[in-house]
Amino acid sequence: MKEKIMLIVKKICDMESTNCRNLNKSDLARELMTLANVPKNADIQEIPVDWNNAVVIQFLIPGDDNYYSLFAGIGCVDHKFYFELSIIGKLLENGWFHFFEEDNKKDVILPLDYFLDKKKN
């Protein structure tokens, strides 16, 4: 599975961006999201990091005020492989995002079966 993930990461990193949010890479990002069991109706907000061997995908789920992030790739500091789903903040009523780091809080790391378990419940 690691090889499949890294192949997709490489394709995203090699593709030229056509806009500031990298949304032209959404089809490839959705492949990674499918591997992480993210619902198909997830709305990709941004693919802000896509360099060398790492990609970040930030998205929302309709009816859910969590702001999610999916990281896939090799960490630039420790050079370890990661495929990590997390909650990085909240969507506020005014449409803005409030990120946990603004309060010196850490992101909430979720298991990759988070959405499968959520769907069951």
Side-chain angles (χ1 to χ4, degrees):
M1 173 120 114
K2 175 182 172 183
E3 291 78 21
K4 183 175 186 174
I5 291 167
M6 289 308 296
L7 181 64
I8 298 168
V9 167
K10 181 174 178 1
K11 287 179 184 178
I12 292 172
C13 294
D14 289 347
M15 180 184 275
E16 188 172 332
S17 296
T18 60
N19 58 57
C20 65
R21 294 172 52 204
N22 295 326
L23 294 180
N24 65 302
K25 302 176 182 189
S26 292
D27 289 343
L28 289 169
R30 291 212 183 269
E31 288 184 46
L32 291 174
M33 294 167 74
T34 297
L35 294 172
N37 304 302
V38 175
K40 294 195 184 309
N41 65 344
D43 181 23
I44 297 174
Q45 297 293 302
E46 189 171 7
I47 307 170
V49 179
D50 63 342
W51 75 92
N52 295 331
N53 295 312
V55 170
V56 176
I57 305 159
Q58 294 174 346
F59 62 95
L60 294 169
I61 303 292
D64 186 337
D65 67 350
N66 290 319
Y67 193 45
Y68 294 95
S69 177
L70 180 63
F71 177 89
I74 307 297
C76 59
V77 175
D78 61 9
H79 305 288
K80 292 182 181 178
F81 172 76
Y82 292 92
F83 191 49
E84 196 169 84
L85 177 66
S86 58
I87 300 172
I88 60 171
K90 295 285 184 183
L91 177 63
L92 304 176
E93 288 181 17
N94 63 7
W96 291 87
F97 296 107
H98 183 80
F99 296 97
F100 295 145
E101 67 183 24
E102 294 171 4
D103 297 328
N104 292 320
K105 294 181 182 175
K106 293 188 182 256
D107 297 342
V108 179
I109 307 297
L110 303 171
L112 290 175
D113 62 355
Y114 173 79
F115 290 110
L116 291 176
D117 287 346
K118 196 171 183 176
K119 191 175 182 180
K120 288 178 190 174
N121 296 327

